[in-house]
Structures are given as structure tokens and as C-alpha cells.
Amino acid sequence: RMSLNIRPLFDMLDGQKTSKLMMTRLQDEAAEAAPADAAPAADAAPAADAAASAAGGAADVSFPEDYPNSVKHFLLIGCLGMFIGACVFLWLSMSRPKSSLPHVLIFMASAISCMSFYAMWTGIGVELKTTDVTPRVIFLPRYADLLMTQPLLLATIGLMSKADTSVMVSLIGYDILMVLAALIGAMNVAPFKYMWWFAGFVFLILIVVQLVQRFEGANDGYKLCNYIFIGTACVYPLVWMLGSEGTAALGLSQEVGIITVTDLVAKLGFGLYFLFNFDDVMGEEGGEEGMNQQSQQYV
């Protein structure tokens, strides 16, 4: 009888052991499932961190600290070259017994370019644009330089040929529109930026055509000055297309190097040849012979 009375006690103990065993198994299964569920989250965390770091990488770029050494050297060479040239042009202007407007224009063009190169060398107005297919460095002082100096050079060419007011205004207007189109294209993204580049190229063609039309009866010095301007003016859109603003086929150092050499030729080469041969190019020794006589004297 006593065994019959304690059997329910053993049954109860067995039931408690079974329930504890089941609880232990459930806890083990939950522990095994937890790492499997946490693994995708753990894998996603580095990817999110990488994306965040990539997005914030552009914000960490600052100029001139992140310039390659070659870019710094090219910009410094351009600044020093323009500074020396501006000093020479100022001396040539002040040494003349009578003031000359072409001398002043050439000096102003070189001084503006000197300040532009110094601004780029110190990182002022230099932006890293990451919204396009390829990141690109935009030198805003370069466009400010072209917007002011190329009209000065065109005005000088107009004074050489005694161009009338309508010709001067059209040449300078085309040039301003060309530079503005290139600037807007640089701030835009593909494929729209290429339409702005094409618009600027059309204005360049109009400038070249109008300059070439005035070659009739001009002397060799005037033609050479025009060739220098036309040749250098054609380099800028080519570098735009191949450089960081366009297809990024050129490296940043190559782009800055080509632009620096082009600027030195466009301002210093043009100015030195013109001012050291001023009387011959302007036709002051031989009257008005050799210059285009179809337009009035520009005042």
C-alpha cells in the first residue's frame, strides 16, 4: 500500500525533469538561432559604415592640402610667371613717353591671371564635385580669369586692327558667352554638361571666323598675335572635354599643367611679342599701311 501512495510522487518528479529538459532544449535552439539571425545584421554594419565613409569622403577633401605636389608646382609656376610678366608690362607701359591703352590692357590681363593662379594655389574657389559619374575638381578662379582676361586680349587685338565699336562688342560678347557656357557646363552633370560645352564651342567658332576675316591687308605681326590668341583659345575647350569637367581622360596634374602653359603663352607670349614690336604691329612707323582700313579708329 505504501508503494501505491508514493508512486504519484515519483511520477511528479519525472514530469518536472521532463519539463526542465524541454526548457533546456528550447533555450539551446534559441541560442543557436540567434547568431544566424545576427549574422546578416553584422555583415550589413560594415557595408553601411563603408557607404557612410564613402559619402563623407568628399567632405574630408580640402585644398590646397589635398593637391598633388605636381599641381602645387604648376600653379606656383603660373603665379610667379604672371607676376614677373605683369612687372615687365608695367615697366614697358611706364617707360613710354605717352600712355598707351594696349600696354595697360596687357598689364591688367597678366595681373588678373597672377591673382587667379595664387587663389588656386591657396585653394580659394576650388571645389570637388562628386555628383557626376566621376569626381571632378572645379577651379572657379580659372573661369573668373578667362571671363576678364580674354576680353582684354580681344580688345587689344581690336585696337591693333582699328576695329570699330560693333566689332569689339561682338568679339567680347561672344567670348563672355563662351566662358559662361563652359562654367555652367562644369557645374552641371552628364549629359547636359556636354550641351553647354557645345554652345561654348559655337561661340569660339564665331570669334575665330570674325578674327580671320580681318586678316586681309594686315601685317605679319598682327596675324601672329591673332594666331597666338586663336591657338590658345582652342586649347581651353579641348582640355575641358578631356579634363575633370568632361570625360576625365586626363589626370589632374596633366590638366593643370596644360592650362598653366597655355595661360603663360596666351598672356606672356602674346604680350611680350606685341609690346616689344608695338610700333611695327600698330603700324605707327609706316602710317596705316598693313592694317585693315575698312573700319574707323576705336576710341
Side-chain angles (χ1 to χ4, degrees):
R1 290 181 183 178
M2 186 174 182
S3 62
L4 293 176
N5 292 331
I6 64 175
R7 184 177 296 278
L9 180 60
F10 286 109
D11 294 339
M12 183 180 62
L13 293 174
D14 292 339
Q16 290 179 353
K17 292 180 180 180
T18 303
S19 62
K20 289 181 179 180
L21 182 60
M22 294 178 62
M23 290 295 295
T24 303
R25 290 178 178 176
L26 292 175
Q27 291 175 355
D28 294 340
E29 292 176 358
E32 292 176 357
D37 296 337
D43 294 338
D49 294 339
S53 62
D60 297 335
V61 176
S62 61
F63 300 106
E65 289 80 8
D66 293 319
Y67 278 148
N69 289 331
S70 57
V71 171
K72 294 180 182 179
H73 295 158
F74 281 128
L75 294 176
L76 183 59
I77 290 172
C79 178
L80 295 177
M82 292 298 178
F83 177 77
I84 296 173
C87 293
V88 172
F89 297 146
L90 181 62
W91 176 77
L92 290 174
S93 177
M94 297 179 66
S95 62
R96 290 183 61 84
K98 184 179 179 180
S99 61
S100 170
L101 181 57
H103 284 74
V104 175
L105 296 179
I106 295 297
F107 163 73
M108 291 177 61
S110 300
I112 292 172
S113 291
C114 176
M115 292 186 290
S116 171
F117 274 104
Y118 184 75
M120 291 186 289
W121 184 64
T122 56
I124 299 175
V126 183
E127 299 180 357
L128 177 63
K129 190 175 181 62
T130 59
T131 57
D132 206 353
V133 178
T134 56
R136 45 183 155 151
V137 179
I138 300 177
F139 295 93
L140 296 179
R142 178 192 302 171
Y143 293 97
D145 176 3
L146 295 176
L147 196 61
M148 291 182 285
T149 57
Q150 282 197 320
L152 293 176
L153 296 178
L154 285 172
T156 303
I157 292 176
L159 292 175
M160 294 181 196
S161 62
K162 314 298 187 292
D164 55 19
T165 305
S166 61
V167 174
M168 298 280 280
V169 171
S170 61
L171 285 173
I172 293 174
Y174 292 154
D175 186 83
I176 292 174
L177 293 174
M178 176 185 68
V179 177
L180 289 178
L183 174 59
I184 297 174
M187 302 299 293
N188 217 322
V189 297
F192 307 105
K193 63 180 181 181
Y194 297 115
M195 296 301 298
W196 287 104
W197 177 88
F198 180 75
F201 188 72
V202 171
F203 289 119
L204 175 60
I205 293 176
L206 294 176
I207 294 173
V208 173
V209 170
Q210 197 159 357
L211 290 176
V212 173
Q213 286 177 346
R214 304 184 64 81
F215 276 10
E216 184 179 357
N219 57 43
D220 293 337
Y222 172 77
K223 291 181 180 180
L224 182 57
C225 290
N226 278 266
Y227 291 146
I228 294 175
F229 178 86
I230 293 172
T232 54
C234 291
V235 173
Y236 295 117
L238 181 62
V239 174
W240 191 102
M241 178 61 69
L242 298 178
S244 59
E245 289 98 337
T247 59
L250 293 175
L252 183 62
S253 300
Q254 296 171 323
E255 176 185 352
V256 174
I258 294 174
I259 290 295
T260 301
V261 174
T262 303
D263 274 349
L264 291 174
V265 173
K267 277 84 171 183
L268 300 189
F270 178 94
L272 290 174
Y273 175 82
F274 171 53
L275 296 185
F276 279 111
N277 300 275
F278 182 76
D279 294 334
D280 294 336
V281 175
M282 296 296 290
E284 293 186 358
E285 292 183 349
E288 298 298 327
E289 184 179 358
M291 302 307 296
N292 194 317
Q293 299 297 317
Q294 298 178 358
S295 59
Q296 63 184 9
Q297 170 71 38
Y298 179 77
V299 180

